[in-house]
Every structure is written in C-alpha cells, then in structure tokens.
Amino acid sequence: MKSINVAIDILHNATSSPPGLLKLGTHLVFDVKMDFICKARLVGDGHHTPAPSVSTYTGVVSRETVQIAFTYAALNGLEVFAADIQNAYLQALCSQKCYTICGPEFGAKNTGKYAIVKRSIYGTKSAGVDFCNHLCDCMHHLGFESCLADPDLWMHPAIRKDGTAYYEYLLLYVDDVLAISEHSTEMLRQLGKYFQLK
C-alpha cells in the first residue's frame, strides 16, 4: 500500500466531490507470493464506470516473435535477460478523470475524504493503455523503434565489440521485459532509469 500514495491526491479540505470527475469505487486485493511475501493492491472498480470509446488494451509480444528472438540470440551469441517492471500501472498518469472516497485502508485520518486518482491503478478501464503509452514514450526516449510486424518488439541499432553492426531488442509483454543484446544488463539498466525493475 506504500506505493499507492503516488497514485492519489487526497483532498483534505474538500466537502463535496470534485466537479467533472467520475466516481471510482475501490477495494483491496491481497496476495501471498511464492516466496511468502504478502502484498496488498488497491484496485479500482472499473467495471462500474462507462466504457471508453477507444481500445484500452495493452499489447503483448507474440509467441512467434519470442521464438525468432531466441533463435536470433542463439545464432549471434547474444545475452538474453528478463526483468519485471514493478508497480507497472502506477508509473503512468491516468487518462480517466476519476475520484474516489477514501475508506479505512487509507488510514483513520483520511477515511471519508475525497481523493483524485492521478495515476493508473489496476482495475480502471484505461490502466492498460495508459501504461502502454507511457512505456512507448520511454522506449522512444531510449532510442528504440517499434517493429512494424510486432509493435511489442522494440529494436535499436548497435555495434558489437568486433565492430560489426547488429540490432538490440527489447520484447515487451505488458510489464515483463526480455532484453537481447551483447550488453543486455546495460539495456535493462537504461530502462531502470524509468522504472524499478526486478
């Protein structure tokens, strides 16, 4: 729940709902990971909000692209590293203009207060596309271009240690990243400037 503080702005002095914003109910989802770490995630009740007029899905790299990328890495002696973007959706600004009424999960002093949802939280209708757009902006800043055949395959021209030209690749499956390069760890370090990776 610590990371949710970046996603909402509690209106301490508001006496009514913010004008022009959709009301978004929220609830907590609890999980125990395989390593026994307990997690709680605040989730928006997006199923109670109107459907947007545009697609809200985030893309995923195709299975065939992953197979081709593994073959490319094996044939060219390239490193393959994987990473996960932590709290992925919270990294992106929320395009849906929503507010919520704080429940007890926000602490006793905030219960009943209005809060504006600033960042994409799981469960909102636009969370997937908001994160996807944010991730695409970051990829462009890093100098990567999306492949026309599979938009979730990102490529960047590079030079090998022996002086030959080749392409480095990042494959994206929502918040999972696969790096294929002679310097995969450096690629992930560059991406780590934008996102916390594990």
Side-chain angles (χ1 to χ4, degrees):
M1 285 295 294
K2 290 179 275 186
S3 57
I4 199 65
N5 293 332
V6 299
I8 59 165
D9 185 17
I10 297 174
L11 306 174
H12 293 285
N13 299 320
T15 57
S16 63
S17 62
L21 302 182
L22 289 172
K23 182 180 180 186
L24 177 70
T26 59
H27 63 277
L28 289 175
V29 174
F30 297 95
D31 191 15
V32 178
K33 301 293 187 179
M34 295 296 289
D35 56 1
F36 299 107
I37 291 176
C38 299
K39 292 190 102 178
R41 177 177 289 156
L42 183 72
V43 177
D45 296 336
H47 58 288
H48 291 300
T49 60
S53 58
V54 294
S55 174
T56 59
Y57 295 102
T58 183
V60 295
V61 68
S62 74
R63 185 178 356 174
E64 293 78 12
T65 299
V66 173
Q67 291 170 339
I68 292 169
F70 279 144
T71 303
Y72 173 79
L75 290 174
N76 292 288
L78 301 176
E79 299 175 341
V80 179
F81 279 87
D84 178 72
I85 298 172
Q86 293 187 338
N87 298 315
Y89 286 3
L90 294 178
Q91 308 295 323
L93 294 175
C94 187
S95 62
Q96 276 185 299
K97 304 302 178 201
C98 302
Y99 76 93
T100 191
I101 299 172
C102 297
E105 64 272 17
F106 290 91
K109 67 179 184 172
N110 295 321
T111 301
K113 292 182 179 176
Y114 294 97
I116 295 175
V117 179
K118 299 184 304 184
R119 302 242 173 204
S120 292
I121 60 174
Y122 293 90
T124 57
K125 295 245 172 103
S126 65
V129 73
D130 289 343
F131 173 69
C132 183
N133 290 338
H134 179 63
L135 184 57
C136 289
D137 288 344
C138 294
M139 296 301 291
H140 286 297
H141 283 125
L142 290 172
F144 283 83
E145 289 296 322
S146 181
C147 177
L148 294 176
D150 188 336
D152 294 298
L153 170 68
W154 292 80
M155 50 195 173
H156 179 268
I159 304 294
R160 294 180 70 120
K161 290 177 189 172
D162 64 7
T164 58
Y166 78 110
Y167 275 92
E168 299 175 315
Y169 295 101
L170 282 175
L171 293 77
L172 306 176
Y173 194 98
V174 187
D175 62 348
D176 295 313
V177 182
L178 195 64
I180 297 177
S181 170
E182 196 170 52
H183 311 286
S184 293
T185 53
E186 175 60 23
M187 285 174 56
L188 292 175
R189 191 185 66 74
Q190 291 293 324
L191 188 61
K193 291 179 181 178
Y194 295 93
F195 304 101
Q196 185 177 356
L197 302 175
K198 63 176 178 177

